[in-house]
Amino acid sequence: MQQFITGGQTLKELEAELFGMLQKTYGEMLQQVLEWLDEELAKQRDKTRYYLKDKRTVRLQTLFGEVEVRRNDYLDREKGVYTCLLDAFLGFDGAKGVSPLLEETAIELAVTGSSYRQAAEALEKMVGYAVMSHETIRQLILQATVDKHRPMERKQQVLFVEADGLYVKRQRSRRRGKEEKILAVHQGWEVNGKRVSLVGKRHYVHDTKEPVV
């Protein structure tokens, strides 16, 4: 460990250096696990249905930084479409280039913060580089009304609804800005160590003229 510590470092600089090391290590581990899973899926696939077409590199933005993964693309002979078994197995779209946890974190920062720009800045401090623009986060919020609109498995008798508004300025437009109304629906709170997280949370954008509640 001494080889990583130089004289005159402040605690803040030391923390930043160690965080960078851990981030790189976890990113490499994530890459190795994803590529191992992809190879296992290739061995176990129905070869009469899934024809191995190519191996391509996808760049994923994650909480550990950018991770490059070489994965297999297949031709699904039954449906006549190209598919990636790794994406289907893990339930995400690798072509989007954003990991589900990073996307969820960005949405939660936008919902609980005061603006998309502040959410982008908070995410940059968390990850260590400018991973998303405020406009990208805004688009994630808008898409969440469709992508994340699924039935909620109720485990309790009470649902909590938190409503907030984010004023969004329209870029390159003469029209005035607009307040986006965002709802966070959840079943309560749970404590994980020093962190408190929402149980069964869903995010929605209220885009009608009806009252929120």
Side-chain angles (χ1 to χ4, degrees), residues 46-202:
D46 181 354
K47 295 183 180 179
T48 61
R49 176 178 176 179
Y50 297 105
Y51 170 70
L52 179 58
K53 184 67 176 178
D54 197 4
K55 182 180 284 287
R56 298 181 181 179
T57 298
V58 61
R59 291 180 173 83
L60 292 176
Q61 304 299 328
T62 75
L63 288 176
F64 310 128
E66 185 176 83
V67 175
E68 291 189 0
V69 180
R70 283 183 58 78
R71 58 180 189 161
N72 295 315
D73 283 344
Y74 302 91
L75 172 63
D76 185 342
R77 293 189 176 102
E78 185 175 298
K79 296 183 178 180
V81 297
Y82 290 99
T83 186
C84 176
L85 295 181
L86 180 63
D87 286 12
F89 180 76
L90 295 177
F92 84 113
D93 183 3
K96 290 176 62 176
V98 180
S99 74
L101 183 57
L102 181 64
E103 179 176 329
E104 182 177 306
T105 301
I107 291 175
E108 188 161 346
L109 287 171
V111 170
T112 57
S114 61
S115 68
Y116 298 127
R117 191 177 299 277
Q118 185 186 66
E121 292 173 352
L123 197 63
E124 180 178 352
K125 291 180 180 179
M126 183 183 301
V127 180
Y129 68 103
V131 61
M132 283 187 194
S133 67
H134 63 281
E135 176 59 25
T136 299
I137 294 177
R138 189 180 79 88
Q139 292 300 323
L140 289 178
I141 291 288
L142 296 176
Q143 294 167 13
T145 57
V146 177
D147 296 341
K148 298 186 182 299
H149 189 81
R150 58 185 185 275
M152 176 182 289
E153 180 183 351
R154 293 188 60 178
K155 299 180 180 179
Q156 300 184 23
Q157 297 300 317
V158 179
L159 287 179
F160 297 89
V161 180
E162 298 183 23
D164 201 354
L166 294 177
Y167 185 80
V168 182
K169 293 182 179 180
R170 301 183 181 276
Q171 297 182 344
R172 296 183 296 275
S173 174
R174 294 182 178 179
R175 292 187 298 172
R176 299 177 61 184
K178 176 185 177 183
E179 183 184 43
E180 299 284 358
K181 296 181 176 63
I182 301 174
L183 305 179
V185 182
H186 59 91
Q187 300 176 30
W189 300 263
E190 62 181 2
V191 179
N192 299 312
K194 295 182 179 180
R195 299 185 61 183
V196 177
S197 58
L198 302 181
V199 178
K201 62 180 177 294
R202 299 288 187 273

Side-chain angles (χ1 to χ4, degrees), residues 31-47:
Q31 174 192 0
Q32 293 170 10
V33 170
L34 291 177
E35 292 183 349
W36 175 81
L37 276 174
D38 195 41
E39 290 305 313
E40 290 299 309
L41 291 171
K43 296 175 185 178
Q44 300 173 21
R45 78 185 192 279
D46 181 354
K47 295 183 180 179

Side-chain angles (χ1 to χ4, degrees), residues 16-28:
E17 184 174 348
L18 292 176
F19 176 78
M21 292 166 54
L22 289 174
Q23 188 180 49
K24 181 179 179 181
T25 299
Y26 289 144
E28 292 173 350

